[in-house]
Amino acid sequence: MALHLHCQRLFTGLDDTLHHDQTVVIEGGLFRWVGPRAQAPALQPGDTQADAGSHFVMPGLVDVHTHLVFGNARSEEDIDLGCTAEFRALRGLFFAQRVLAAGYTSVVVPGDAGNCSISVRDAIRAGLFDGPRIAASSHVVANRHSLNDWFPEHVGTPDYFTGRLCETRDAQLQEVRRQAKAGVDFIKIALDGTHLRADGTHIAAFTQDEVSAMVAEAHRLGKKVATHAYGKEAVLQAARADVDVVFHAFFADDECAEALLAAGSAVAPTLTFLRNNIEFSLPHEPSRTSGYLAMQQRVVEIGCRNLRRLKAAGVPFITGSDAGFAITPYGEWHAREIGILVDWLGFTPAEALRAATAVSARLMPRGRVGTPAGAATGAIEAGRHADFIFVDGDPLSDVGVLLQPGAVAAVHVGGQRLQPELRRYDRWAVSDFNTLKWNDLYTRERVATLQLQP
Ligand SMILES: [Zn+2]
């Protein structure tokens, strides 16, 4: 019982070409045959046919950096302090519908407290709910002064935090093993420190020996490894340890490019978060008044220069949006990263679309169907999961159409058309539990300037 889908316009994700008058045969959740309609296999008894009409047919998109359980947070406190892990998981399941509706049939979730994304993944995988395929993680492995060790030393990283402080090599290895047993698909390590040297360069929070040991152990246990690394030191450590993906890599140089190529590591710039903040945040918001925005503008300027050099060297690029913050709400801006590859990093639309599909899909765990390793997703090719979308418009001329409301006309996962319900919700009850009350300092002088007194 196969479905023969006729496509006037088909982009497979495997080459840069738009293929015309194609047929895609789908059976048992997999693509079984893909090729010119004239050569398609004959219909067998029980087979059905459908026509994609004028839609542009392409693989389901992959976002390798969606914080599915952050709840569109406004602050780090909001992510970790506001609500229970159980509520975060339920909320993540809810927002997964919006991610799916945007055409994203696979997401990588880089770090969250406890077993939140593992639970969301398992509920969807078991067929209890519709949703995208999920590569799940657990706590971000952190060290003193690294990313995710945000709070003062006397707070540390309680169990309900996204980060887990692991201060010794033994503790780091134990955390990798604990997460592997809990069922993660990959380990996330916060390699960058938040401290800078006097010359402005980032200081990595781990030693090379620690990073190499964690990555080797994760790989031995069959898990992939993702690292947050802006600075040159952290990028080099990641590459020399053979990590699977480096997020950001803004301060990578030619030495890093060589090491990344040797390791076969992919780079996910994840610039959407920075671009949204630079372009959308309002003058009175702490992201502007605190100097954070000025720092981001500098990072983007230098980062784009360095990333273009990594691209020229042949380092594979993949796409993530850092969705899950108030500046990057679920389902809204995922495809902006594809446009950034084109606008800022010199990709052709076809290259950027392949980065967002077949190349990004390399990070996804293989599914259970098919070969012993399971089937892959990310491209329209016989043997892969039948994850694909219909688009109104031509992303090969302008990838920006993917951001147009309604442009993603249909979403299919494993050959099934899914129609996620975009239910309205109470934005103030779903996240934003922080107790911040004022953005300004109301001295008499300021009040007079603002003309607040009658
Ligand atoms: Zn992130």
Side-chain angles (χ1 to χ4, degrees):
M1 288 252 296
L3 169 70
H4 293 233
L5 176 70
H6 305 303
C7 310
Q8 282 176 32
R9 299 186 295 149
L10 176 74
F11 177 74
T12 64
L14 297 171
D15 57 47
D16 291 353
T17 323
L18 180 63
H19 299 271
H20 293 276
D21 297 315
Q22 302 287 298
T23 292
V24 173
V25 181
I26 298 162
E27 191 178 21
L30 301 177
F31 295 121
R32 295 293 186 191
W33 190 89
V34 182
R37 184 168 182 176
Q39 296 161 26
L43 255 71
Q44 301 300 313
D47 286 0
T48 51
Q49 354 182 23
D51 200 305
S54 61
H55 289 124
F56 180 98
V57 182
M58 63 174 288
L61 294 156
V62 185
D63 189 322
V64 302
H65 201 132
T66 284
H67 293 288
L68 205 49
V69 304
F70 281 13
N72 293 335
R74 292 207 305 163
S75 66
E76 296 300 338
E77 288 83 346
D78 219 9
I79 293 168
D80 282 333
L81 298 179
C83 56
T84 62
E86 292 81 358
F87 182 74
R88 290 182 222 178
L90 290 167
R91 192 177 61 186
L93 188 53
F94 174 85
F95 283 124
Q97 311 309 311
R98 279 174 157 66
V99 178
L100 182 68
Y104 282 76
T105 55
S106 293
V107 294
V108 176
V109 184
D112 47 62
N115 300 324
C116 289
S117 59
I118 295 172
S119 307
V120 176
R121 177 199 66 193
D122 291 352
I124 292 171
R125 194 184 267 173
L128 308 184
F129 298 91
D130 289 343
R133 296 181 198 281
I134 290 174
S137 62
S138 182
H139 300 273
V140 178
V141 182
N143 204 343
R144 285 293 176 196
H145 97 82
S146 78
L147 199 81
N148 297 103
D149 178 36
W150 304 122
F151 301 102
E153 182 265 336
H154 60 269
V155 178
T157 53
D159 234 26
Y160 51 89
F161 272 28
T162 297
R164 165 125 338 142
L165 192 54
C166 301
E167 295 183 86
T168 65
R169 193 176 184 278
D170 282 349
Q172 291 151 15
L173 291 179
Q174 278 171 29
E175 180 60 17
V176 169
R177 293 182 193 123
R178 185 199 67 75
Q179 293 191 13
K181 173 164 168 70
V184 298
D185 296 302
F186 70 100
I187 308 286
K188 164 112 181 255
I189 310 173
L191 280 193
D192 265 330
T194 50
H195 294 183
L196 303 180
R197 292 187 186 82
D199 66 359
T201 56
H202 290 75
I203 305 171
F206 296 83
T207 64
Q208 181 70 59
D209 172 61
E210 290 172 323
V211 179
S212 297
M214 279 187 283
V215 178
E217 186 62 359
H219 284 168
R220 189 179 74 81
L221 297 169
K223 306 302 174 187
K224 292 188 164 70
V225 180
T227 55
H228 170 103
Y230 273 33
K232 172 183 172 167
E233 187 183 4
V235 175
L236 263 185
Q237 285 182 345
R240 286 174 179 161
D242 284 344
V243 301
D244 299 278
V245 58
V246 176
F247 293 126
H248 314 303
F250 297 139
F251 296 96
D253 62 5
D254 291 340
E255 193 183 358
C256 296
E258 219 170 281
L260 289 163
L261 277 173
S265 308
V267 164
T270 321
L271 279 157
T272 301
F273 177 86
L274 289 87
R275 186 174 192 177
N276 280 13
N277 194 41
I278 290 167
E279 294 180 0
F280 303 157
S281 66
L282 297 170
H284 68 278
E285 291 189 300
S287 110
R288 254 167 210 268
T289 55
S290 66
Y292 182 58
L293 186 99
M295 181 275 285
Q296 290 198 322
Q297 282 167 323
R298 173 178 163 268
V299 164
V300 165
E301 193 189 313
I302 299 171
C304 285
R305 239 181 2 245
N306 292 332
L307 289 167
R308 281 194 291 267
R309 277 168 42 200
L310 296 188
K311 177 184 186 283
V315 174
F317 275 62
I318 56 180
T319 53
S321 62
D322 237 326
F325 294 92
I327 198 75
T328 50
Y330 302 106
E332 300 285 333
W333 301 108
H334 304 272
R336 203 170 200 216
E337 189 76 7
I338 305 172
I340 288 173
L341 294 191
V342 175
D343 299 343
W344 288 1
L345 302 182
F347 281 63
T348 65
E351 277 180 319
L353 291 174
R354 279 194 288 109
T357 53
V359 188
S360 286
R362 291 181 201 162
L363 264 200
M364 296 301 296
R366 293 293 197 98
R368 286 176 187 154
V369 201
T371 64
T377 182
I380 298 179
E381 180 186 42
R384 298 219 195 197
H385 287 298
D387 300 346
F388 61 101
I389 60 175
F390 291 170
V391 180
D392 276 336
D394 180 10
L396 277 174
S397 329
D398 175 13
V399 296
V401 300
L402 292 166
L403 280 178
Q404 299 296 322
V408 175
V411 181
H412 304 79
V413 177
Q416 297 295 315
R417 179 166 180 182
L418 302 180
Q419 290 175 288
E421 187 194 355
L422 301 183
R423 178 196 288 262
R424 294 178 67 83
Y425 63 97
D426 180 351
R427 185 242 180 283
W428 303 105
V430 90
S431 70
D432 203 353
F433 304 108
N434 72 67
T435 55
L436 178 77
K437 301 221 173 26
W438 302 278
N439 281 329
D440 219 317
L441 182 68
Y442 296 90
T443 59
R444 282 168 294 178
E445 188 188 346
R446 183 77 177 136
V447 166
T449 306
L450 295 170
Q451 298 182 304
L452 297 179
Q453 261 178 344

